[in-house]
């Protein structure tokens, strides 16, 4: 594949960006600016390098994470040019710098903006990133943002405005496999970035105190040469615990996940202490074994390291930390919009930022919706290359309606507890890069549509604030309820009283095409689509339809939330929108 994607050539003539540190720039990195005052464009954290590499890194052979997962690395859009705007450092970010970066990028002529940052939910007219993003959208640029890492608690999203593309995080089909085998022969598949194959050959005495084991100090206990079980109640093994085990002469660590994290295992590189991180469920069994009987000395364990294995099923699974809807700022608009790989992602790293203590590497494994967003950004770049004239909302629609709700085992995508995942955690579904450039139909939106939506949600002063145009009035732009925004997802109140949502699709596929409506909804939900067929005779033709939703009264299965899909199906396209009927959404 390396041969068919040329290295980025010189930047196109319309590019107006510059490099504050010219020696760092080339045909790949065509813009590099710090908005933080001064000339320091260094990435002293690593986050910006990792996310940029994921979006647009070119092919690099012989890459690995500490010797694991060796192969050729590439970003999603390896032929794309890249411009980086430094708006944060290790201390955090100022909103003024973020906005200055967004302005500069749009003025320079970027095709897509990627922001792996965000704060807690606030009303859209008080949310400076949402307000800035409106300006970005009105200039024809789609802004892709991380949805936040505050899951699995509901309503924890960042970046909730409908003109932003908000990304949730899921797992990939790779596991850094480190299997814990106990003396009784039972084995539990964990994961680890600190692997030592020589370790696997022998059984070690297992150390686990009879209460809990925070692994912060080992006064009066000799753990030399033992495998220590730690059940610290944090999502990631605390660095100081791992350090304490190493300092006390422990041979290895079995780290037990926080229960809330379910099947999500977030790996990080820690010193060179052999370790395995296991789920809370597996951890409970390991602790049970360690506690049995009084002759603790008889309990042994080893860790079988198996590098990195691929084609792991099922994948993707929603990452526990990925923030969830409902959308607090606008409950009638689905967020997140889409899910993308964000758990244990291998990407570029600045070698002067040490990993796991003091060591220096050019690649690292990192997790977060920060890692998911740039996957989607790279895909937006590919769509913009194929369809430069598409609006930000058309690109977003293409990404949502072509996404997948099935995992690689052919079942509905699951959440971190292995339950069927809600659209409030996956958005429309998992992004499918192979399909986005040819969606068939798009749900388009322009500045006027979004202005009418803001009038309906927040009123005229908010609309003036967000659009930045004080001569616009709600009387002129109109005012629509959230459910009537022409969004690629349909989110309506759940009640016995029928609720009607109107949508308009634009034909970006073959001029002559006929689409028929297919519904996949639970039996206790009544859904009607009118008309049931859409016949197009020209490119860019628009057709309007309505979806009427109500719950069947008196059904014992009825709950607070119903989820299904509307698929518009033609000979060669499937255009899928999630349908969510939620009793918490107030009809307007
Ligand atoms: C940044 O670098 C330029 C060129 O070397 C120099 O003229 C300018 O004074 C520097 N600015 C700051 C704030 O250091
Ligand atoms: C701790 O245990 C190791 C291995 O069994 C042994 O070699 C060492 O002498 C012990 N240290 C102390 C202070 O007892
Ligand atoms: C390592 O993984 C491979 C492929 O999944 C499997 O066949 C093999 O048994 C594993 N080895 C160990 C030691 O777990
Ligand atoms: C503001 O809105 C008015 C009325 O629709 C329009 O004529 C004008 O061009 C807008 N200004 C900007 C800067 O978009």
């Amino acid at each position: 594949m390396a041969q068919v994607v040329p290295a980025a050539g010189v930047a196109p003539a319309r590019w107006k960006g510059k490099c504050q540190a010219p020696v760092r720039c080339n045909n790949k990195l065509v813009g590099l600016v710090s908005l933080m005052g001064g000339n320091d464009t260094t990435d002293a954290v690593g986050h910006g390098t990792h996310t940029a590499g994921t979006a647009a890194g070119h092919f690099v052979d012989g890459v690995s994470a500490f010797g694991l997962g060796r192969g050729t690395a590439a970003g999603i859009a390896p032929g794309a040019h890249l411009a980086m705007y430094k708006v944060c450092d290790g201390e955090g970010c100022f909103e003024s710098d973020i906005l200055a970066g967004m302005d500069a990028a749009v003025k320079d002529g970027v095709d897509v903006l990627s922001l792996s940052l965000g704060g807690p939910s606030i009303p859209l007219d008080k949310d400076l990133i949402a307000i800035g993003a409106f300006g970005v959208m009105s200039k024809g640029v789609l802004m892709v943002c991380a949805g936040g890492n505050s899951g699995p608690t509901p309503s924890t999203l960042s970046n909730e405005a409908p003109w932003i593309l908000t990304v949730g995080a899921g797992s990939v089909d790779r596991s850094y496999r480190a299997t814990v085998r106990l003396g009784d022969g039972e084995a539990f598949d964990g994961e680890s970035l600190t692997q030592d194959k020589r370790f696997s050959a022998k059984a070690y005495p297992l150390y686990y105190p009879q209460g809990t084991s925070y692994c912060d100090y080992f006064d009066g206990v000799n753990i030399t040469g033992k495998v220590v079980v730690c059940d610290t109640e944090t999502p990631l093994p605390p660095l100081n615990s791992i350090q304490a085990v190493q300092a006390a002469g422990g041979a290895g660590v079995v780290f037990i996940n926080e229960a809330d994290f379910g099947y999500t295992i977030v790996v990080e590189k820690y010193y060179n202490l052999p370790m395995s991180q296991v789920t809370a469920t597996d951890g409970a069994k390991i602790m049970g074994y360690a506690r049995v009987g009084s002759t603790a000395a008889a309990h042994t364990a080893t860790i079988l390291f198996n590098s990195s294995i691929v084609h792991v099923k099922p994948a993707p699974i929603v990452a526990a930390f990925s923030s969830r809807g409902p959308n607090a700022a606008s409950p009638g608009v689905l967020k997140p919009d889409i899910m993308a790989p964000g758990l244990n992602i291998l990407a570029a790293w600045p070698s002067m930022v040490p990993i796991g203590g003091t060591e220096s590497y050019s690649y690292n494994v990192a997790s977060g919706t920060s890692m998911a967003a740039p996957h989607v950004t790279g895909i937006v770049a590919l769509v913009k290359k194929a369809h430069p004239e598409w609006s930000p909302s058309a690109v977003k629609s293409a990404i949502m309606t072509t996404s997948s709700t099935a995992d690689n085992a052919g079942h509905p995508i699951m959440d971190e507890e292995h339950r069927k995942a809600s659209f409030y955690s996956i958005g429309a579904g998992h992004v499918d890069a192979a399909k986005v450039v040819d969606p068939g139909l798009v749900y388009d939106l322009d500045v006027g549509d979004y202005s009418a939506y803001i009038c309906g949600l927040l009123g005229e002063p908010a609309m003036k604030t967000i659009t930045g145009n004080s001569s616009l009035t709600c009387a002129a732009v109109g005012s629509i309820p959230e459910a009537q925004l022409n969004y690629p997802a349909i989110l309506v109140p759940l009640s016995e009283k029928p609720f009607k949502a109107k949508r308009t699709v634009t034909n970006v596929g073959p001029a002559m095409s006929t689409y028929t409506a297919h519904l996949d909804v639970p039996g206790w939900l009544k859904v009607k689509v009118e008309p049931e067929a859409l016949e197009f005779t020209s490119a860019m033709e628009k057709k309007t339809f309505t979806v009427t939703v109500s719950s069947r009264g008196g059904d014992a299965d009825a709950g607070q939330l119903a989820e299904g899909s509307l698929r518009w199906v033609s000979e060669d396209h499937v255009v899928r929108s999630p349908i969510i009927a939620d009793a918490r959404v107030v009809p307007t």
Side-chain angles (χ1 to χ4, degrees):
M1 236 162 81
Q3 299 86 328
V4 302
V5 177
V10 292
R14 64 190 164 87
W15 175 245
K16 296 194 275 291
K18 61 176 195 309
C19 276
Q20 215 172 350
V23 321
R24 297 206 166 164
C25 284
N26 50 34
N27 283 347
K28 165 58 77 179
L29 185 63
V30 296
L32 181 64
V33 182
S34 168
L35 286 305
M36 306 187 74
N39 278 340
D40 182 9
T41 53
T42 340
D43 175 9
V45 177
H47 185 265
T49 301
H50 199 276
T51 52
T54 297
H58 202 257
F59 293 91
V60 182
D61 289 332
V63 162
S64 77
F66 327 108
L68 306 172
R70 194 174 292 282
T72 301
I76 299 290
H81 297 290
L82 181 70
M84 295 175 82
Y85 298 83
K86 182 172 176 176
V87 298
C88 301
D89 60 17
E91 319 268 275
C93 333
F94 286 107
E95 277 176 330
S96 51
D97 295 340
I98 299 172
L99 289 178
M102 287 159 61
D103 276 353
V106 171
K107 284 206 186 84
D108 289 348
V110 299
D111 292 311
V112 53
L113 254 172
S114 194
L115 277 80
S116 285
L117 48 83
S121 172
I122 39 171
L124 299 180
D125 58 330
K126 311 270 184 312
D127 180 344
L128 293 184
I129 295 179
I131 295 170
F134 194 96
V136 170
M137 174 274 296
S138 66
K139 296 275 169 23
V141 177
L142 180 55
M143 194 162 111
V144 182
C145 291
N149 300 327
S150 303
T153 313
S155 278
T156 45
L157 286 159
S158 300
N159 303 313
E160 299 174 313
W163 45 88
I164 291 173
L165 181 47
T166 311
V167 186
S171 66
V172 296
D173 68 350
R174 174 191 291 170
S175 172
Y176 297 95
R177 184 62 58 81
T179 303
V180 178
R181 196 173 63 202
L182 303 178
D184 66 1
E186 272 229 79
F188 304 93
D189 284 340
E191 294 199 60
S192 178
L193 292 177
T194 312
Q195 303 201 1
D196 180 351
K197 289 232 161 70
R198 288 164 305 177
F199 188 88
S200 309
K202 97 178 239 246
Y204 299 81
L206 189 62
Y207 172 72
Y208 180 73
Q210 296 302 303
T212 51
S213 173
Y214 291 116
C215 288
D216 18 34
Y217 66 96
F218 298 96
D219 281 355
V221 190
N222 185 354
I223 64 161
T224 303
K226 294 184 177 168
V227 167
V228 180
V229 179
C230 304
D231 57 348
T232 310
E233 286 155 358
T234 54
L236 274 170
L239 195 57
N240 63 326
S241 299
I242 306 303
Q243 209 168 5
V245 175
Q246 190 169 44
V253 170
V254 174
F255 180 82
I256 298 170
N257 232 358
E258 186 188 29
D260 277 359
F261 264 52
Y263 289 89
T264 296
I265 297 177
V266 179
V267 289
E268 281 192 12
K269 170 76 172 168
Y270 291 97
Y271 300 98
N272 282 321
L273 188 63
M275 71 180 285
S276 175
Q277 290 174 237
V278 298
T279 65
T281 311
D282 287 347
K285 293 177 189 155
I286 294 169
M287 289 186 287
Y289 164 80
R291 282 197 196 104
V292 167
S294 54
T295 50
H299 298 142
T300 61
T302 195
I303 307 173
L304 306 170
F305 292 108
N306 207 351
S307 310
S308 85
I309 57 172
V310 290
H311 309 307
V312 170
K313 288 182 181 178
I317 294 172
V318 178
F321 55 76
S322 188
S323 287
R324 310 296 152 98
N327 183 339
S330 182
V333 170
L334 178 67
K335 289 284 168 179
D337 293 304
I338 197 82
M339 170 178 161
L343 178 64
N344 302 334
I345 302 303
L346 198 174
W349 195 256
S351 50
M352 83 278 185
V353 178
I355 296 174
T358 55
E359 293 185 49
S360 168
Y361 298 94
S362 310
Y363 283 79
N364 193 10
V365 172
S367 295
T369 54
S370 283
M371 283 67 232
H375 281 90
V376 177
T377 305
I379 289 169
V380 173
L382 301 176
V383 179
K384 287 295 276 189
K385 178 80 180 171
H387 307 287
E389 73 291 355
W390 281 11
S391 75
S393 304
V395 174
K396 175 175 173 170
S397 174
I399 287 174
M400 289 172 70
T401 63
T402 58
S403 67
S404 170
T405 56
D407 63 27
N408 62 358
H411 302 124
I413 292 174
M414 296 190 291
D415 67 13
E416 73 286 347
E417 297 292 350
H418 281 185
R419 300 168 299 213
K420 185 183 177 207
S422 162
F423 290 124
Y424 284 134
S425 53
I426 63 170
H430 194 265
V431 68
D432 184 346
K435 290 193 180 145
V436 283
V437 297
D438 184 21
L441 306 174
V442 292
Y443 293 79
D444 207 355
L445 284 161
D446 62 18
V447 169
D449 299 317
Y450 285 122
S451 304
Y453 152 85
I454 303 166
C455 286
L457 181 69
L458 297 166
E460 189 163 279
M463 187 277 289
K464 287 175 189 280
T465 302
I466 295 170
T467 60
N469 186 340
S470 56
S471 56
L472 282 181
T473 62
C474 287
V477 298
S479 173
I480 56 164
E482 293 166 286
Q484 307 307 334
L485 183 69
N486 197 38
Y487 217 64
I490 295 161
L491 175 43
V492 297
L494 176 65
S495 92
E496 284 180 42
K497 192 163 159 253
F499 187 95
K500 206 175 272 228
K502 197 175 89 176
R503 290 291 185 274
T504 300
V505 282
T506 307
N507 181 21
V508 295
M512 308 286 288
S513 19
T514 302
Y515 287 83
T516 52
H518 294 247
L519 288 163
D520 315 289
V521 294
W524 53 275
L525 201 65
K526 262 196 296 198
V527 182
K528 196 163 80 183
V529 181
E530 290 168 301
E532 289 177 330
L534 302 174
E535 223 168 284
F536 294 91
T537 54
S538 63
M540 299 312 286
E541 188 180 354
K542 289 180 187 290
K543 293 276 181 199
T544 295
F545 61 91
T546 61
V547 180
T548 309
V549 181
S550 61
S551 65
R552 292 183 202 277
D555 193 316
D557 292 338
Q560 290 286 99
L561 180 68
E563 301 196 346
S565 292
L566 163 63
R567 287 177 293 126
W568 286 108
V569 180
S570 75
E571 222 166 78
D572 34 25
H573 292 90
V574 177
V575 187
R576 185 185 53 81
S577 287
I579 298 176
I580 304 105
D582 189 334
R584 292 165 295 185
V585 172
V586 182
T588 47

